[in-house]
Amino acid sequence: MKTKQLTMNRKIVLLTFFIIAFSFLVAGILLISNLAQNNEETLGQRAMLVARTISDLPDIHKHLDQENLQLAQTNIQKTINDIKTINKADYIVVMNMDRIKLSHPSPNQLGKKSYSTDIEAAFSENYYISKAIGEQGKMVRAFVPILNDARKQIGVVVVGFALPTFLDILKQNMNEIIVTVTLSILFSIWGAHTLGRHIKRQMFGLEPQEIAKVYVERNETFNAMHEGIIAVDKDMVITIFNKKASRILGVGGNPKKYIGSYIYDVLPDTRLPEIVESGRAVYNQEIYVNNHSILSNRIPILVNGKTVGAVAVFKDLTEFKQLAEELTGVKAFVQALRIQTHEYKNKLHTIAGLLQLGHHQQALDYLSQVKIQHDEVTKFLNERIYNENISGLLLSKISRGNELGIHVKIDEESRLTHFPALLDHHDFVLLFGNLIENAFDALVGVDRDYKEILISIDDNDGMLAIMVADNGIGIPKKHLENIFENGFSTKQNANRGIGLFLINEIVKKGNGTIEITSEVNKGTTFILTFDF
């Protein structure tokens, strides 16, 4: 691992060094190009100044007016040589109006006529600067007309300075360049080393290919999970969105396309921003997201004690409800079958005994009575409760009560025609199953001649009211405020403290209310109300 860290650090240092060095190289080239341009402008202005000075010299005017060209040439060449030496000019040419060169750096050109086309404008009293490539290399030249005292043009003067090459500029600025390059290299090495150490710490000493592998493995792990997972950073940008989350919430398309999007644009009601702002986790909360009911755990993501995001792990509550229904309802149905088998076995033994004793009429009367009782309960549930899941659950609880010696009574005026908004039969299986089981628990250990559970379902005038009352041991006042907390129970048995918590969550989801009245050793009454 240490070798890998060193290798990565060297790579980062070298790569960063070359990047910074290349940046300085480009900057240096641009700087030298700028210096070359400045030199060109400076030399052009200098050439123009020298040319103007020459054009104003009286000696130049006098010699240009001479008819003896040989004498004029000798005098002008001498004057120009002095000026050229003083100003370090590379090129000074004086011509009369016949374009005869009266001064020139090459003696063999003296007295010859110039056929250059770039001096035409100068013979029309124009002042200008141009660049050209001549015998001495690239030159910047100033063209100035020579006017006599009468302001009549009598000739042209051309002054040229050789432009320095790239190497000339390097030589001229060698000291500055050496200092700059040395400092650049030193700072590049220092910056690269510092950046490498920082990146190394940020990447936990992993090589880039290892980071890519971890990233792929992480995504595949999240996609393989049975729960939906969504995570955001502190700016509410989605960083994780697995396939299960897409399926549970009904979000179309490939979930990868949502990575990097704002959570508000994809799912505005996840309530993840609340976790980022508060920094507090929320567990086992039922919420609606994109019109889907989910059971969500939302947890802040902490780095060095600071909240940098939040993650939600959730499952489809429909599946959860089905599981809970299986635990509270289906399990009860199986138990009811066992109870009924035991109950009918006892009744068959009673009938068989009466027949063996010759009490045929009494056996017939007993059989009729059992049939009437069973038919009355079944008929009542079928006519009053318009959901077979709830009917089956209540029937099983009545049989369960008979086995425990507890009379489970359903109010004759009870009726359930439909469910409130946001709730379904899964929710009511949980409600009735847990409320009645709690009542059984309150009565099992009570020494009382008559044990009763009263159930009332009032479905009238746009409101649904459910009452489950027992005459059991009751709940002490000190516990009433805590009974809906997840995991709270006055009993020591395992897996307690969940039923009332689920009941309270269902009531909140359906925008209902729940009232409890209880007195120790007298009983407890739960009243749940919902608006349609």
Side-chain angles (χ1 to χ4, degrees), residues 141-201:
R141 303 177 300 171
F143 295 81
V144 174
I146 302 174
L147 306 177
N148 60 16
D149 295 338
R151 306 307 298 169
K152 179 182 177 182
Q153 185 171 359
I154 58 176
V156 170
V157 58
V158 182
V159 178
F161 285 91
L163 290 174
T165 63
F166 189 83
L167 292 177
D168 293 333
I169 296 175
L170 286 178
K171 292 177 181 179
Q172 293 172 6
N173 300 274
M174 184 58 67
N175 293 334
E176 292 84 353
I177 291 174
I178 291 174
V179 173
T180 303
V181 170
T182 302
L183 292 176
S184 299
I185 292 175
L186 291 176
F187 278 106
S188 297
I189 294 174
W190 174 80
H193 181 68
T194 303
L195 181 61
R197 289 177 59 191
H198 175 72
I199 295 176
K200 177 181 173 182
R201 289 195 300 267

Side-chain angles (χ1 to χ4, degrees), residues 506-521:
I506 293 171
V507 171
K508 288 193 294 186
K509 184 180 73 169
N511 297 320
T513 62
I514 183 168
E515 298 180 12
I516 307 172
T517 57
S518 184
E519 189 172 348
V520 176
N521 295 325

Side-chain angles (χ1 to χ4, degrees), residues 365-410:
D365 292 341
Y366 179 77
L367 184 61
S368 299
Q369 181 183 0
V370 170
K371 182 179 183 303
I372 291 172
Q373 289 176 350
H374 182 270
D375 289 346
E376 286 179 352
V377 173
T378 303
K379 181 181 179 183
F380 173 80
L381 291 175
N382 287 334
E383 291 179 351
R384 291 283 181 168
I385 307 300
Y386 291 85
N387 184 275
E388 60 276 10
N389 296 279
I390 307 300
S391 299
L393 177 66
L394 294 176
L395 182 61
S396 71
K397 297 304 181 184
I398 292 173
S399 300
R400 169 70 170 159
N402 291 335
E403 184 184 55
L404 297 174
I406 300 172
H407 181 59
V408 179
K409 181 180 179 182
I410 302 176

Side-chain angles (χ1 to χ4, degrees), residues 155-408:
V156 170
V157 58
V158 182
V159 178
F161 285 91
L163 290 174
T165 63
F166 189 83
L167 292 177
D168 293 333
I169 296 175
L170 286 178
K171 292 177 181 179
Q172 293 172 6
N173 300 274
M174 184 58 67
N175 293 334
E176 292 84 353
I177 291 174
I178 291 174
V179 173
T180 303
V181 170
T182 302
L183 292 176
S184 299
I185 292 175
L186 291 176
F187 278 106
S188 297
I189 294 174
W190 174 80
H193 181 68
T194 303
L195 181 61
R197 289 177 59 191
H198 175 72
I199 295 176
K200 177 181 173 182
R201 289 195 300 267
Q202 295 294 318
M203 298 192 303
F204 303 101
L206 295 175
E207 292 285 349
Q209 63 271 18
E210 292 177 318
I211 294 175
K213 180 181 178 182
V214 169
Y215 178 79
V216 172
E217 290 176 348
R218 185 200 70 161
N219 288 340
E220 293 305 317
T221 300
F222 286 144
N223 288 327
M225 295 181 69
H226 189 63
E227 290 79 14
I229 301 176
I230 299 176
V232 298
D233 61 19
K234 62 179 181 180
D235 297 319
M236 309 307 166
V237 175
I238 298 174
T239 56
I240 299 173
F241 201 106
N242 72 342
K243 294 179 181 179
K244 187 65 175 182
S246 177
R247 287 195 293 268
I248 291 176
L249 300 178
V251 180
N254 190 335
K256 290 182 180 179
K257 71 179 182 180
Y258 302 117
I259 305 297
S261 302
Y262 284 102
I263 189 67
Y264 299 109
D265 297 335
V266 180
L267 294 166
D269 47 0
T270 60
R271 299 173 70 174
L272 271 174
E274 298 176 8
I275 306 303
V276 176
E277 294 171 1
S278 67
R280 292 192 297 271
V282 176
Y283 297 98
N284 297 324
Q285 185 179 49
E286 182 180 353
I287 61 174
Y288 271 82
V289 178
N290 200 30
N291 297 320
H292 289 75
S293 178
I294 63 173
L295 187 67
S296 173
N297 295 314
R298 302 188 303 283
I299 307 164
I301 301 173
L302 302 178
V303 176
N304 296 327
K306 294 182 179 180
T307 301
V308 298
V311 59
V313 181
F314 55 90
K315 61 175 63 180
D316 190 347
L317 201 54
T318 302
E319 298 177 2
F320 179 77
K321 288 177 181 177
Q322 290 172 347
L323 179 61
E325 181 179 351
E326 182 178 351
L327 294 175
T328 59
V330 176
K331 184 177 179 180
F333 296 157
V334 174
Q335 187 178 21
L337 291 175
R338 182 183 62 80
I339 294 170
Q340 287 181 356
T341 301
H342 185 265
E343 182 179 354
Y344 283 122
K345 185 176 181 180
N346 290 335
K347 290 176 180 178
L348 288 174
H349 288 164
T350 301
I351 294 171
L354 290 172
L355 291 175
Q356 289 177 1
L357 293 173
H359 303 302
H360 300 111
Q361 186 60 41
Q362 291 180 359
L364 183 61
D365 292 341
Y366 179 77
L367 184 61
S368 299
Q369 181 183 0
V370 170
K371 182 179 183 303
I372 291 172
Q373 289 176 350
H374 182 270
D375 289 346
E376 286 179 352
V377 173
T378 303
K379 181 181 179 183
F380 173 80
L381 291 175
N382 287 334
E383 291 179 351
R384 291 283 181 168
I385 307 300
Y386 291 85
N387 184 275
E388 60 276 10
N389 296 279
I390 307 300
S391 299
L393 177 66
L394 294 176
L395 182 61
S396 71
K397 297 304 181 184
I398 292 173
S399 300
R400 169 70 170 159
N402 291 335
E403 184 184 55
L404 297 174
I406 300 172
H407 181 59
V408 179

Side-chain angles (χ1 to χ4, degrees), residues 83-111:
I83 296 174
K84 179 182 175 184
T85 302
I86 294 172
N87 292 278
K88 297 181 180 180
D90 296 297
Y91 183 91
I92 298 178
V93 178
V94 176
M95 292 174 282
N96 61 15
M97 292 304 292
D98 294 327
R99 300 191 180 188
I100 302 299
K101 302 173 185 177
L102 302 178
S103 74
H104 196 278
S106 299
N108 59 355
Q109 291 292 322
L110 292 174

